[in-house]
Amino acid sequence: MGKKNIKQQPVYAAAQRSTLYNYYHNMFYNLWMGKYTVEGMNYRQNDFFFRKLWSKGYLAIFRKKYLEDEDAVGLATYSAVGEYDGLDMPVEVQLVQNRGDFSIPLTPQKVDKDCVIGWAQLSRRPIAETMDMYASKLTGIDMLINVNEKVQKMPWLVNTPEGSEKKVEEFMNALMGDEPVLFFELDGLDPRALISGAPFILDKLYNYKQAYVNEALTFIGVNNLGNVEKKERLITSEVDHNNELIESNSDNFKRPIEEFLDRANDVLGFDFKLKDNSPKPKEQAPEDGFKPFGAEEAGEEGEEE
């Protein structure tokens, strides 16, 4: 009997993997871009500022000559030139011209005099470097979920005489296309129930995926309780610990950026202030429903005022 190998083209799997990766990359990118706003910069400057911290991890701020207010804010990536001081900080940097912007100086700029340099992480690495790792991992998990979904809906082994390959192919394509009802003449087809023995693990894979999503959100300091399954069962101490971890990770970005902006204010005379747009995690009620004495009365009095 002739054999007919029926398989999906590798191109499909590659396209699906690319789509999934782009989905997670865009999700994390959008969360980062919406997390903060620099007051004192316009929307275009804010976009460039946080986009470069995402992709490069570092940036320089300088003052454009002969301009005032927001128009004087200069932003550029840089490369260190010349010597470093004893604390491993560059003495001078060369600002990188972006798209022919001639307001960016062509000569090396002295750090903390002509410009200030800063970063989003103390490691000075791009945020995208870590988030792309999570996007890749989650893409792999989703591909694994897709495979297990297909395993769960593969109930037939088709045994057919030689010469019926075309009919087998049509049958399998219809089966793989999730058709609820199949109409075929059984001449030359011998469909038999097949128990593959594959266990149902989609629920475990989903929880596995959610654990990575939560870890990624925690890394960039975004509340992840909305992704915790059966979150009503979390006790107060677990919620508090989770919130503390989110706040700690958020501070790991917030503090270097605030220090960066403070240096720009001191050296260049700007008036920048970092605004955190993230909603604060809600406090969890005590697990036994107990309210401290006077709490309800105090709340009612506050409402009357």
PDB file of all heavy atoms in Angstrom, residues 194-230:
ATOM      1  N   LEU A 194      -8.930   6.229  16.855  1.00  0.00           N
ATOM      2  CA  LEU A 194      -7.560   6.076  17.346  1.00  0.00           C
ATOM      3  C   LEU A 194      -7.442   6.781  18.687  1.00  0.00           C
ATOM      4  O   LEU A 194      -7.762   7.967  18.811  1.00  0.00           O
ATOM      5  CB  LEU A 194      -6.566   6.695  16.361  1.00  0.00           C
ATOM      6  CG  LEU A 194      -5.120   6.806  16.866  1.00  0.00           C
ATOM      7  CD1 LEU A 194      -4.519   5.429  17.064  1.00  0.00           C
ATOM      8  CD2 LEU A 194      -4.280   7.634  15.914  1.00  0.00           C
ATOM      9  N   ILE A 195      -7.038   6.059  19.692  1.00  0.00           N
ATOM     10  CA  ILE A 195      -6.765   6.670  20.987  1.00  0.00           C
ATOM     11  C   ILE A 195      -5.264   6.925  21.056  1.00  0.00           C
ATOM     12  O   ILE A 195      -4.468   5.987  21.096  1.00  0.00           O
ATOM     13  CB  ILE A 195      -7.215   5.744  22.140  1.00  0.00           C
ATOM     14  CG1 ILE A 195      -8.715   5.492  22.044  1.00  0.00           C
ATOM     15  CG2 ILE A 195      -6.867   6.358  23.483  1.00  0.00           C
ATOM     16  CD1 ILE A 195      -9.228   4.505  23.072  1.00  0.00           C
ATOM     17  N   SER A 196      -4.913   8.184  21.017  1.00  0.00           N
ATOM     18  CA  SER A 196      -3.485   8.511  20.946  1.00  0.00           C
ATOM     19  C   SER A 196      -2.792   8.354  22.289  1.00  0.00           C
ATOM     20  O   SER A 196      -1.572   8.226  22.358  1.00  0.00           O
ATOM     21  CB  SER A 196      -3.307   9.956  20.457  1.00  0.00           C
ATOM     22  OG  SER A 196      -3.804  10.860  21.425  1.00  0.00           O
ATOM     23  N   GLY A 197      -3.560   8.402  23.364  1.00  0.00           N
ATOM     24  CA  GLY A 197      -2.941   8.316  24.683  1.00  0.00           C
ATOM     25  C   GLY A 197      -2.396   9.641  25.176  1.00  0.00           C
ATOM     26  O   GLY A 197      -1.836   9.706  26.266  1.00  0.00           O
ATOM     27  N   ALA A 198      -2.547  10.710  24.382  1.00  0.00           N
ATOM     28  CA  ALA A 198      -2.047  12.026  24.793  1.00  0.00           C
ATOM     29  C   ALA A 198      -2.935  12.591  25.893  1.00  0.00           C
ATOM     30  O   ALA A 198      -4.144  12.702  25.715  1.00  0.00           O
ATOM     31  CB  ALA A 198      -2.020  12.976  23.604  1.00  0.00           C
ATOM     32  N   PRO A 199      -2.378  12.960  27.058  1.00  0.00           N
ATOM     33  CA  PRO A 199      -3.202  13.493  28.146  1.00  0.00           C
ATOM     34  C   PRO A 199      -3.646  14.918  27.849  1.00  0.00           C
ATOM     35  O   PRO A 199      -3.029  15.626  27.055  1.00  0.00           O
ATOM     36  CB  PRO A 199      -2.247  13.462  29.344  1.00  0.00           C
ATOM     37  CG  PRO A 199      -0.882  13.611  28.735  1.00  0.00           C
ATOM     38  CD  PRO A 199      -0.948  12.891  27.408  1.00  0.00           C
ATOM     39  N   PHE A 200      -4.711  15.338  28.501  1.00  0.00           N
ATOM     40  CA  PHE A 200      -5.186  16.717  28.360  1.00  0.00           C
ATOM     41  C   PHE A 200      -4.384  17.601  29.320  1.00  0.00           C
ATOM     42  O   PHE A 200      -4.527  17.507  30.539  1.00  0.00           O
ATOM     43  CB  PHE A 200      -6.671  16.802  28.677  1.00  0.00           C
ATOM     44  CG  PHE A 200      -7.236  18.180  28.487  1.00  0.00           C
ATOM     45  CD1 PHE A 200      -7.655  18.612  27.237  1.00  0.00           C
ATOM     46  CD2 PHE A 200      -7.326  19.066  29.560  1.00  0.00           C
ATOM     47  CE1 PHE A 200      -8.162  19.887  27.052  1.00  0.00           C
ATOM     48  CE2 PHE A 200      -7.832  20.347  29.387  1.00  0.00           C
ATOM     49  CZ  PHE A 200      -8.246  20.754  28.131  1.00  0.00           C
ATOM     50  N   ILE A 201      -3.525  18.449  28.764  1.00  0.00           N
ATOM     51  CA  ILE A 201      -2.670  19.305  29.600  1.00  0.00           C
ATOM     52  C   ILE A 201      -2.795  20.779  29.220  1.00  0.00           C
ATOM     53  O   ILE A 201      -1.970  21.601  29.626  1.00  0.00           O
ATOM     54  CB  ILE A 201      -1.195  18.875  29.507  1.00  0.00           C
ATOM     55  CG1 ILE A 201      -0.692  18.947  28.053  1.00  0.00           C
ATOM     56  CG2 ILE A 201      -0.977  17.491  30.089  1.00  0.00           C
ATOM     57  CD1 ILE A 201       0.797  18.736  27.920  1.00  0.00           C
ATOM     58  N   LEU A 202      -3.831  21.108  28.438  1.00  0.00           N
ATOM     59  CA  LEU A 202      -3.969  22.493  27.997  1.00  0.00           C
ATOM     60  C   LEU A 202      -4.133  23.442  29.176  1.00  0.00           C
ATOM     61  O   LEU A 202      -3.622  24.573  29.151  1.00  0.00           O
ATOM     62  CB  LEU A 202      -5.164  22.631  27.056  1.00  0.00           C
ATOM     63  CG  LEU A 202      -4.973  22.016  25.658  1.00  0.00           C
ATOM     64  CD1 LEU A 202      -6.272  22.081  24.873  1.00  0.00           C
ATOM     65  CD2 LEU A 202      -3.867  22.738  24.907  1.00  0.00           C
ATOM     66  N   ASP A 203      -4.842  23.009  30.230  1.00  0.00           N
ATOM     67  CA  ASP A 203      -5.015  23.872  31.392  1.00  0.00           C
ATOM     68  C   ASP A 203      -3.687  24.139  32.085  1.00  0.00           C
ATOM     69  O   ASP A 203      -3.401  25.257  32.522  1.00  0.00           O
ATOM     70  CB  ASP A 203      -6.023  23.263  32.369  1.00  0.00           C
ATOM     71  CG  ASP A 203      -5.664  21.830  32.759  1.00  0.00           C
ATOM     72  OD1 ASP A 203      -4.846  21.201  32.046  1.00  0.00           O
ATOM     73  OD2 ASP A 203      -6.190  21.346  33.781  1.00  0.00           O
ATOM     74  N   LYS A 204      -2.843  23.123  32.148  1.00  0.00           N
ATOM     75  CA  LYS A 204      -1.516  23.301  32.768  1.00  0.00           C
ATOM     76  C   LYS A 204      -0.637  24.209  31.919  1.00  0.00           C
ATOM     77  O   LYS A 204       0.119  25.036  32.446  1.00  0.00           O
ATOM     78  CB  LYS A 204      -0.845  21.937  32.965  1.00  0.00           C
ATOM     79  CG  LYS A 204      -1.544  21.032  33.968  1.00  0.00           C
ATOM     80  CD  LYS A 204      -0.788  19.730  34.133  1.00  0.00           C
ATOM     81  CE  LYS A 204      -1.437  18.849  35.211  1.00  0.00           C
ATOM     82  NZ  LYS A 204      -2.803  18.460  34.888  1.00  0.00           N
ATOM     83  N   LEU A 205      -0.725  24.053  30.599  1.00  0.00           N
ATOM     84  CA  LEU A 205       0.060  24.910  29.720  1.00  0.00           C
ATOM     85  C   LEU A 205      -0.402  26.359  29.812  1.00  0.00           C
ATOM     86  O   LEU A 205       0.416  27.288  29.761  1.00  0.00           O
ATOM     87  CB  LEU A 205      -0.053  24.421  28.271  1.00  0.00           C
ATOM     88  CG  LEU A 205       0.682  23.129  27.943  1.00  0.00           C
ATOM     89  CD1 LEU A 205       0.369  22.684  26.513  1.00  0.00           C
ATOM     90  CD2 LEU A 205       2.196  23.301  28.109  1.00  0.00           C
ATOM     91  N   TYR A 206      -1.711  26.567  29.958  1.00  0.00           N
ATOM     92  CA  TYR A 206      -2.232  27.925  30.089  1.00  0.00           C
ATOM     93  C   TYR A 206      -1.695  28.569  31.375  1.00  0.00           C
ATOM     94  O   TYR A 206      -1.268  29.727  31.365  1.00  0.00           O
ATOM     95  CB  TYR A 206      -3.753  27.915  30.097  1.00  0.00           C
ATOM     96  CG  TYR A 206      -4.344  29.290  30.264  1.00  0.00           C
ATOM     97  CD1 TYR A 206      -4.419  30.176  29.197  1.00  0.00           C
ATOM     98  CD2 TYR A 206      -4.821  29.720  31.514  1.00  0.00           C
ATOM     99  CE1 TYR A 206      -4.951  31.450  29.353  1.00  0.00           C
ATOM    100  CE2 TYR A 206      -5.354  30.993  31.674  1.00  0.00           C
ATOM    101  CZ  TYR A 206      -5.411  31.849  30.589  1.00  0.00           C
ATOM    102  OH  TYR A 206      -5.923  33.109  30.750  1.00  0.00           O
ATOM    103  N   ASN A 207      -1.712  27.826  32.475  1.00  0.00           N
ATOM    104  CA  ASN A 207      -1.181  28.354  33.737  1.00  0.00           C
ATOM    105  C   ASN A 207       0.322  28.627  33.626  1.00  0.00           C
ATOM    106  O   ASN A 207       0.835  29.600  34.193  1.00  0.00           O
ATOM    107  CB  ASN A 207      -1.456  27.379  34.876  1.00  0.00           C
ATOM    108  CG  ASN A 207      -2.928  27.297  35.227  1.00  0.00           C
ATOM    109  OD1 ASN A 207      -3.693  28.225  34.949  1.00  0.00           O
ATOM    110  ND2 ASN A 207      -3.354  26.183  35.814  1.00  0.00           N
ATOM    111  N   TYR A 208       1.019  27.751  32.904  1.00  0.00           N
ATOM    112  CA  TYR A 208       2.453  27.930  32.654  1.00  0.00           C
ATOM    113  C   TYR A 208       2.700  29.226  31.892  1.00  0.00           C
ATOM    114  O   TYR A 208       3.596  30.018  32.215  1.00  0.00           O
ATOM    115  CB  TYR A 208       2.941  26.721  31.866  1.00  0.00           C
ATOM    116  CG  TYR A 208       4.409  26.695  31.511  1.00  0.00           C
ATOM    117  CD1 TYR A 208       5.388  26.949  32.462  1.00  0.00           C
ATOM    118  CD2 TYR A 208       4.821  26.389  30.213  1.00  0.00           C
ATOM    119  CE1 TYR A 208       6.730  26.912  32.140  1.00  0.00           C
ATOM    120  CE2 TYR A 208       6.163  26.346  29.879  1.00  0.00           C
ATOM    121  CZ  TYR A 208       7.111  26.603  30.842  1.00  0.00           C
ATOM    122  OH  TYR A 208       8.435  26.560  30.514  1.00  0.00           O
ATOM    123  N   LYS A 209       1.861  29.465  30.885  1.00  0.00           N
ATOM    124  CA  LYS A 209       1.964  30.697  30.093  1.00  0.00           C
ATOM    125  C   LYS A 209       1.678  31.918  30.956  1.00  0.00           C
ATOM    126  O   LYS A 209       2.401  32.930  30.897  1.00  0.00           O
ATOM    127  CB  LYS A 209       0.985  30.616  28.920  1.00  0.00           C
ATOM    128  CG  LYS A 209       0.758  31.926  28.187  1.00  0.00           C
ATOM    129  CD  LYS A 209      -0.304  31.741  27.116  1.00  0.00           C
ATOM    130  CE  LYS A 209      -0.804  33.063  26.570  1.00  0.00           C
ATOM    131  NZ  LYS A 209      -1.831  32.879  25.533  1.00  0.00           N
ATOM    132  N   GLN A 210       0.623  31.857  31.780  1.00  0.00           N
ATOM    133  CA  GLN A 210       0.262  32.992  32.619  1.00  0.00           C
ATOM    134  C   GLN A 210       1.368  33.330  33.618  1.00  0.00           C
ATOM    135  O   GLN A 210       1.583  34.494  33.945  1.00  0.00           O
ATOM    136  CB  GLN A 210      -1.037  32.709  33.365  1.00  0.00           C
ATOM    137  CG  GLN A 210      -2.274  32.736  32.480  1.00  0.00           C
ATOM    138  CD  GLN A 210      -2.405  34.052  31.727  1.00  0.00           C
ATOM    139  OE1 GLN A 210      -2.442  34.061  30.497  1.00  0.00           O
ATOM    140  NE2 GLN A 210      -2.460  35.162  32.437  1.00  0.00           N
ATOM    141  N   ALA A 211       2.081  32.298  34.084  1.00  0.00           N
ATOM    142  CA  ALA A 211       3.180  32.548  35.009  1.00  0.00           C
ATOM    143  C   ALA A 211       4.262  33.386  34.344  1.00  0.00           C
ATOM    144  O   ALA A 211       4.829  34.305  34.969  1.00  0.00           O
ATOM    145  CB  ALA A 211       3.756  31.221  35.499  1.00  0.00           C
ATOM    146  N   TYR A 212       4.554  33.125  33.075  1.00  0.00           N
ATOM    147  CA  TYR A 212       5.555  33.910  32.346  1.00  0.00           C
ATOM    148  C   TYR A 212       5.044  35.323  32.041  1.00  0.00           C
ATOM    149  O   TYR A 212       5.817  36.290  32.106  1.00  0.00           O
ATOM    150  CB  TYR A 212       5.960  33.205  31.054  1.00  0.00           C
ATOM    151  CG  TYR A 212       7.145  32.296  31.231  1.00  0.00           C
ATOM    152  CD1 TYR A 212       6.981  30.936  31.444  1.00  0.00           C
ATOM    153  CD2 TYR A 212       8.446  32.800  31.214  1.00  0.00           C
ATOM    154  CE1 TYR A 212       8.067  30.102  31.635  1.00  0.00           C
ATOM    155  CE2 TYR A 212       9.541  31.977  31.395  1.00  0.00           C
ATOM    156  CZ  TYR A 212       9.343  30.624  31.609  1.00  0.00           C
ATOM    157  OH  TYR A 212      10.428  29.805  31.806  1.00  0.00           O
ATOM    158  N   VAL A 213       3.759  35.450  31.703  1.00  0.00           N
ATOM    159  CA  VAL A 213       3.190  36.778  31.470  1.00  0.00           C
ATOM    160  C   VAL A 213       3.301  37.615  32.741  1.00  0.00           C
ATOM    161  O   VAL A 213       3.724  38.776  32.712  1.00  0.00           O
ATOM    162  CB  VAL A 213       1.720  36.677  31.017  1.00  0.00           C
ATOM    163  CG1 VAL A 213       1.069  38.058  31.006  1.00  0.00           C
ATOM    164  CG2 VAL A 213       1.633  36.058  29.628  1.00  0.00           C
ATOM    165  N   ASN A 214       2.926  37.014  33.879  1.00  0.00           N
ATOM    166  CA  ASN A 214       2.992  37.733  35.152  1.00  0.00           C
ATOM    167  C   ASN A 214       4.417  38.129  35.495  1.00  0.00           C
ATOM    168  O   ASN A 214       4.675  39.223  36.003  1.00  0.00           O
ATOM    169  CB  ASN A 214       2.412  36.871  36.268  1.00  0.00           C
ATOM    170  CG  ASN A 214       0.918  36.646  36.103  1.00  0.00           C
ATOM    171  OD1 ASN A 214       0.251  37.382  35.377  1.00  0.00           O
ATOM    172  ND2 ASN A 214       0.396  35.633  36.766  1.00  0.00           N
ATOM    173  N   GLU A 215       5.361  37.241  35.215  1.00  0.00           N
ATOM    174  CA  GLU A 215       6.769  37.540  35.490  1.00  0.00           C
ATOM    175  C   GLU A 215       7.249  38.711  34.634  1.00  0.00           C
ATOM    176  O   GLU A 215       7.973  39.590  35.110  1.00  0.00           O
ATOM    177  CB  GLU A 215       7.611  36.296  35.207  1.00  0.00           C
ATOM    178  CG  GLU A 215       9.075  36.432  35.589  1.00  0.00           C
ATOM    179  CD  GLU A 215       9.852  35.153  35.348  1.00  0.00           C
ATOM    180  OE1 GLU A 215       9.377  34.086  35.783  1.00  0.00           O
ATOM    181  OE2 GLU A 215      10.930  35.216  34.714  1.00  0.00           O
ATOM    182  N   ALA A 216       6.826  38.722  33.372  1.00  0.00           N
ATOM    183  CA  ALA A 216       7.214  39.821  32.473  1.00  0.00           C
ATOM    184  C   ALA A 216       6.609  41.145  32.928  1.00  0.00           C
ATOM    185  O   ALA A 216       7.281  42.182  32.931  1.00  0.00           O
ATOM    186  CB  ALA A 216       6.785  39.506  31.041  1.00  0.00           C
ATOM    187  N   LEU A 217       5.329  41.110  33.315  1.00  0.00           N
ATOM    188  CA  LEU A 217       4.673  42.333  33.782  1.00  0.00           C
ATOM    189  C   LEU A 217       5.311  42.834  35.070  1.00  0.00           C
ATOM    190  O   LEU A 217       5.470  44.047  35.271  1.00  0.00           O
ATOM    191  CB  LEU A 217       3.179  42.083  33.997  1.00  0.00           C
ATOM    192  CG  LEU A 217       2.355  41.727  32.752  1.00  0.00           C
ATOM    193  CD1 LEU A 217       0.888  41.519  33.112  1.00  0.00           C
ATOM    194  CD2 LEU A 217       2.496  42.800  31.680  1.00  0.00           C
ATOM    195  N   THR A 218       5.669  41.909  35.950  1.00  0.00           N
ATOM    196  CA  THR A 218       6.334  42.301  37.191  1.00  0.00           C
ATOM    197  C   THR A 218       7.669  42.965  36.898  1.00  0.00           C
ATOM    198  O   THR A 218       8.045  43.945  37.553  1.00  0.00           O
ATOM    199  CB  THR A 218       6.550  41.072  38.091  1.00  0.00           C
ATOM    200  OG1 THR A 218       5.279  40.488  38.408  1.00  0.00           O
ATOM    201  CG2 THR A 218       7.245  41.454  39.393  1.00  0.00           C
ATOM    202  N   PHE A 219       8.376  42.465  35.907  1.00  0.00           N
ATOM    203  CA  PHE A 219       9.694  43.026  35.571  1.00  0.00           C
ATOM    204  C   PHE A 219       9.600  44.500  35.214  1.00  0.00           C
ATOM    205  O   PHE A 219      10.444  45.301  35.622  1.00  0.00           O
ATOM    206  CB  PHE A 219      10.315  42.246  34.406  1.00  0.00           C
ATOM    207  CG  PHE A 219      11.615  42.839  33.925  1.00  0.00           C
ATOM    208  CD1 PHE A 219      12.795  42.617  34.619  1.00  0.00           C
ATOM    209  CD2 PHE A 219      11.653  43.641  32.788  1.00  0.00           C
ATOM    210  CE1 PHE A 219      13.992  43.180  34.187  1.00  0.00           C
ATOM    211  CE2 PHE A 219      12.838  44.200  32.351  1.00  0.00           C
ATOM    212  CZ  PHE A 219      14.013  43.965  33.051  1.00  0.00           C
ATOM    213  N   ILE A 220       8.583  44.889  34.439  1.00  0.00           N
ATOM    214  CA  ILE A 220       8.466  46.297  34.048  1.00  0.00           C
ATOM    215  C   ILE A 220       7.567  47.094  35.006  1.00  0.00           C
ATOM    216  O   ILE A 220       7.245  48.247  34.751  1.00  0.00           O
ATOM    217  CB  ILE A 220       7.941  46.465  32.602  1.00  0.00           C
ATOM    218  CG1 ILE A 220       6.613  45.752  32.399  1.00  0.00           C
ATOM    219  CG2 ILE A 220       8.973  45.996  31.603  1.00  0.00           C
ATOM    220  CD1 ILE A 220       6.006  45.994  31.022  1.00  0.00           C
ATOM    221  N   GLY A 221       7.191  46.457  36.132  1.00  0.00           N
ATOM    222  CA  GLY A 221       6.453  47.180  37.152  1.00  0.00           C
ATOM    223  C   GLY A 221       5.012  47.446  36.827  1.00  0.00           C
ATOM    224  O   GLY A 221       4.469  48.489  37.181  1.00  0.00           O
ATOM    225  N   VAL A 222       4.352  46.489  36.162  1.00  0.00           N
ATOM    226  CA  VAL A 222       2.938  46.625  35.808  1.00  0.00           C
ATOM    227  C   VAL A 222       2.127  45.644  36.646  1.00  0.00           C
ATOM    228  O   VAL A 222       2.523  44.485  36.814  1.00  0.00           O
ATOM    229  CB  VAL A 222       2.719  46.351  34.307  1.00  0.00           C
ATOM    230  CG1 VAL A 222       1.233  46.353  33.967  1.00  0.00           C
ATOM    231  CG2 VAL A 222       3.441  47.394  33.467  1.00  0.00           C
ATOM    232  N   ASN A 223       0.996  46.095  37.164  1.00  0.00           N
ATOM    233  CA  ASN A 223       0.143  45.247  37.986  1.00  0.00           C
ATOM    234  C   ASN A 223      -0.254  43.988  37.227  1.00  0.00           C
ATOM    235  O   ASN A 223      -0.738  44.061  36.102  1.00  0.00           O
ATOM    236  CB  ASN A 223      -1.114  46.027  38.409  1.00  0.00           C
ATOM    237  CG  ASN A 223      -2.015  45.208  39.325  1.00  0.00           C
ATOM    238  OD1 ASN A 223      -1.590  44.249  39.947  1.00  0.00           O
ATOM    239  ND2 ASN A 223      -3.278  45.606  39.404  1.00  0.00           N
ATOM    240  N   ASN A 224      -0.061  42.820  37.849  1.00  0.00           N
ATOM    241  CA  ASN A 224      -0.355  41.556  37.165  1.00  0.00           C
ATOM    242  C   ASN A 224      -1.483  40.769  37.809  1.00  0.00           C
ATOM    243  O   ASN A 224      -1.749  39.637  37.407  1.00  0.00           O
ATOM    244  CB  ASN A 224       0.906  40.675  37.102  1.00  0.00           C
ATOM    245  CG  ASN A 224       1.422  40.316  38.497  1.00  0.00           C
ATOM    246  OD1 ASN A 224       0.662  40.256  39.459  1.00  0.00           O
ATOM    247  ND2 ASN A 224       2.716  40.080  38.611  1.00  0.00           N
ATOM    248  N   LEU A 225      -2.170  41.328  38.811  1.00  0.00           N
ATOM    249  CA  LEU A 225      -3.207  40.558  39.503  1.00  0.00           C
ATOM    250  C   LEU A 225      -4.373  40.221  38.595  1.00  0.00           C
ATOM    251  O   LEU A 225      -5.091  39.266  38.837  1.00  0.00           O
ATOM    252  CB  LEU A 225      -3.713  41.329  40.721  1.00  0.00           C
ATOM    253  CG  LEU A 225      -2.776  41.325  41.927  1.00  0.00           C
ATOM    254  CD1 LEU A 225      -3.405  42.076  43.081  1.00  0.00           C
ATOM    255  CD2 LEU A 225      -2.436  39.905  42.354  1.00  0.00           C
ATOM    256  N   GLY A 226      -4.564  40.999  37.530  1.00  0.00           N
ATOM    257  CA  GLY A 226      -5.637  40.699  36.591  1.00  0.00           C
ATOM    258  C   GLY A 226      -5.406  39.412  35.834  1.00  0.00           C
ATOM    259  O   GLY A 226      -6.314  38.865  35.227  1.00  0.00           O
ATOM    260  N   ASN A 227      -4.164  38.895  35.873  1.00  0.00           N
ATOM    261  CA  ASN A 227      -3.835  37.678  35.135  1.00  0.00           C
ATOM    262  C   ASN A 227      -3.688  36.460  36.043  1.00  0.00           C
ATOM    263  O   ASN A 227      -3.310  35.394  35.592  1.00  0.00           O
ATOM    264  CB  ASN A 227      -2.521  37.866  34.367  1.00  0.00           C
ATOM    265  CG  ASN A 227      -2.649  38.927  33.306  1.00  0.00           C
ATOM    266  OD1 ASN A 227      -3.433  38.802  32.388  1.00  0.00           O
ATOM    267  ND2 ASN A 227      -1.879  39.989  33.444  1.00  0.00           N
ATOM    268  N   VAL A 228      -3.966  36.641  37.332  1.00  0.00           N
ATOM    269  CA  VAL A 228      -3.820  35.528  38.259  1.00  0.00           C
ATOM    270  C   VAL A 228      -5.123  34.747  38.319  1.00  0.00           C
ATOM    271  O   VAL A 228      -6.183  35.305  38.608  1.00  0.00           O
ATOM    272  CB  VAL A 228      -3.439  36.026  39.675  1.00  0.00           C
ATOM    273  CG1 VAL A 228      -3.368  34.857  40.645  1.00  0.00           C
ATOM    274  CG2 VAL A 228      -2.103  36.766  39.626  1.00  0.00           C
ATOM    275  N   GLU A 229      -5.040  33.461  38.033  1.00  0.00           N
ATOM    276  CA  GLU A 229      -6.236  32.633  38.057  1.00  0.00           C
ATOM    277  C   GLU A 229      -6.741  32.494  39.488  1.00  0.00           C
ATOM    278  O   GLU A 229      -5.967  32.291  40.427  1.00  0.00           O
ATOM    279  CB  GLU A 229      -5.923  31.245  37.483  1.00  0.00           C
ATOM    280  CG  GLU A 229      -7.150  30.374  37.333  1.00  0.00           C
ATOM    281  CD  GLU A 229      -6.816  29.020  36.732  1.00  0.00           C
ATOM    282  OE1 GLU A 229      -5.637  28.712  36.603  1.00  0.00           O
ATOM    283  OE2 GLU A 229      -7.767  28.285  36.424  1.00  0.00           O
ATOM    284  N   LYS A 230      -8.070  32.598  39.682  1.00  0.00           N
ATOM    285  CA  LYS A 230      -8.693  32.480  40.994  1.00  0.00           C
ATOM    286  C   LYS A 230      -8.056  33.438  41.979  1.00  0.00           C
ATOM    287  O   LYS A 230      -7.695  33.072  43.090  1.00  0.00           O
ATOM    288  CB  LYS A 230      -8.591  31.039  41.510  1.00  0.00           C
ATOM    289  CG  LYS A 230      -9.304  30.038  40.607  1.00  0.00           C
ATOM    290  CD  LYS A 230      -9.200  28.625  41.138  1.00  0.00           C
ATOM    291  CE  LYS A 230      -9.895  27.640  40.223  1.00  0.00           C
ATOM    292  NZ  LYS A 230      -9.776  26.240  40.682  1.00  0.00           N
TER     293      LYS A 230
END
